[in-house]
Amino acid sequence: MALRASHALRRPSFLSPLVSSRPSSVRTGKFPVRCSGIGSREARKLVLEVKERLEKDCCSLPVGKNGRDDEDMIYWFLKDRKFVVEDAVAKLTKAIKWRQEFKVSELTEESVKSIAETGKAYVHDFFDVNDRPVLVVVASKHFPAVQDPVENEKLCVFLIEKALSKLPDGKEEILGIFDLRGFGTENADLKFLTFVFHVFYYYYPKRLGQVLFVDAPFVFKPIWQLAKPLLKSYASLVRFCSVETVSIEYFTEETVPANFRE
């Protein structure tokens, strides 16, 4: 089954004003903007400015969905970079090149079938209580010594795309759950954990709303201490919690994932 393009929002996001609680003025290109309350007209100007820059300086980049002329994607990266055009152009260029090199558009259910059948990760059928798509990772089924790291990365990106494709209108983030029950040293993979957060930080910015580390055993603690400084701002999204917390605070009795039912 071919993937739907999911990195763009359902409707042009820059048609709605962005509101924040801490105003600060910056100048991006030709347009002075207030990061706290940029209106649709100013956002539109900045989107077009980035679009023109990419057409002029990066004409070899692909066009279309998730390409250099995708205005929803441009807006999202402007928003992530606080509407600083130079920063948005740099980060967006890197993201589009990565999508091209990683061949994200070619990832399908069939192409990741063998690694997905391990049950190590999946997109849950239901949203959480905040209407966020849910990506679940079962750490005890991850064996870096015997599983192909490239296939693991492909599955990771495929599932991110799949989760984002489920975003309801008006929602922007997904929930990540790492089920750490039964985690042992044979499941430890600092490189892959770093890859997951690296992908979110650089290529899917502001799409990960929260990460739950569920029932983390003592053996996981040194892994986390090594990983935490590598995760940049995403480390602050992590919450260590119990299975009970997951089932009570994040789902209803009908929507909780089967393996988190008490």
Side-chain angles (χ1 to χ4, degrees), residues 142-213:
H142 179 71
F143 296 98
V146 297
Q147 294 168 344
D148 186 342
V150 174
E151 294 304 307
N152 286 331
E153 292 178 2
K154 287 181 179 179
L155 178 62
C156 171
V157 175
F158 173 79
L159 292 177
I160 292 172
E161 291 274 322
K162 183 176 181 179
L164 290 174
S165 74
K166 293 176 173 288
L167 281 171
D169 287 340
K171 296 296 180 178
E172 302 174 339
E173 299 174 335
I174 68 176
L175 172 68
I177 301 179
F178 283 77
D179 184 353
L180 295 171
R181 289 172 294 175
F183 177 90
T185 54
E186 69 276 11
N187 308 120
D189 192 348
L190 180 60
K191 184 178 180 181
F192 181 70
L193 183 61
T194 305
F195 169 81
V196 173
F197 283 90
H198 177 93
V199 164
F200 273 109
Y201 182 83
Y202 288 105
Y203 312 131
Y204 300 95
K206 299 288 192 295
R207 293 302 199 184
L208 188 59
Q210 190 176 22
V211 179
L212 306 180
F213 283 172

Side-chain angles (χ1 to χ4, degrees), residues 228-262:
K228 188 175 180 180
L230 302 175
L231 306 186
K232 305 183 187 304
S233 60
Y234 277 86
S236 65
L237 300 180
V238 172
R239 178 187 183 186
F240 285 82
C241 64
S242 65
V243 170
E244 182 182 17
T245 297
V246 173
S247 61
I248 293 176
E249 295 187 19
Y250 292 88
F251 297 94
T252 66
E253 186 176 345
E254 293 75 24
T255 63
V256 66
N259 51 325
F260 290 99
R261 296 182 186 276
E262 288 291 304

